[in-house]
Amino acid sequence: MIEYIAIGISILAVILAFWQGYLSKQQPEQAKHTKSETDKLLDEIKTRVTKVESISDETRKDVKNQISKLIDKQDENFKVLLNAPTQNSQNEMILALLPTLLQNPESMKTMIDLANIQNGRK
């Protein structure tokens, strides 16, 4: 009977050895599968990070453009304010010359032509 128990334990040991061999063969395959899934996830994360960086760069550019436009507009407004007294003095000068120009219509036509040339109308 002890011989049968010894044979049974031996058979059981052989079965367990085969089972362990099978499991040890499966572990590297599972590790490869896990590694490939991890690589896919990392690539997806990199892609999303790149998209976020791209959106961030575009937003930064848009903000810079808006600030530049605002500064340019304020610059124009400031120049207009600086030129306003000059325009007022020009208007005063024209009003002073108006009676003389009305007496000589040819001079008035010449002044109008010069103004149109200066403003790019002719």
Side-chain angles (χ1 to χ4, degrees):
M1 170 108 172
I2 293 184
E3 295 170 354
Y4 292 119
I5 293 177
I7 293 175
I9 291 177
S10 297
I11 293 173
L12 186 60
V14 169
I15 292 173
L16 284 175
F18 279 119
W19 180 252
Q20 283 181 338
Y22 174 77
L23 290 179
S24 66
K25 184 180 177 186
Q26 291 296 320
Q27 285 178 342
E29 290 175 16
Q30 287 177 347
K32 287 178 186 177
H33 180 71
T34 303
K35 184 182 182 305
S36 69
E37 285 183 10
T38 303
D39 289 342
K40 286 179 187 177
L41 288 174
L42 286 174
D43 288 340
E44 187 176 329
I45 289 170
K46 286 178 186 177
T47 303
R48 288 184 181 182
V49 166
T50 303
K51 285 181 183 178
V52 168
E53 287 174 349
S54 172
I55 291 170
S56 177
D57 288 343
E58 290 174 12
T59 304
R60 247 185 261 124
K61 287 177 185 176
D62 287 345
V63 168
K64 284 181 181 180
N65 287 339
Q66 292 296 329
I67 290 172
S68 294
K69 287 179 183 177
L70 181 63
I71 289 172
D72 291 344
K73 190 68 172 174
Q74 287 179 341
D75 233 9
E76 283 180 34
N77 290 341
F78 188 66
K79 287 177 184 176
V80 167
L81 288 175
L82 287 177
N83 291 332
T86 304
Q87 290 174 351
N88 285 337
S89 64
Q90 287 174 352
N91 290 339
E92 290 173 7
M93 190 168 55
I94 289 172
L95 286 176
L97 289 174
L98 191 59
T100 308
L101 292 174
L102 288 175
Q103 291 173 356
N104 188 352
E106 191 61 36
S107 298
M108 186 156 183
K109 183 180 180 317
T110 305
M111 291 294 280
I112 291 171
D113 288 342
L114 287 173
N116 284 337
I117 289 171
Q118 183 178 3
N119 291 331
R121 295 183 190 158
K122 212 171 192 187

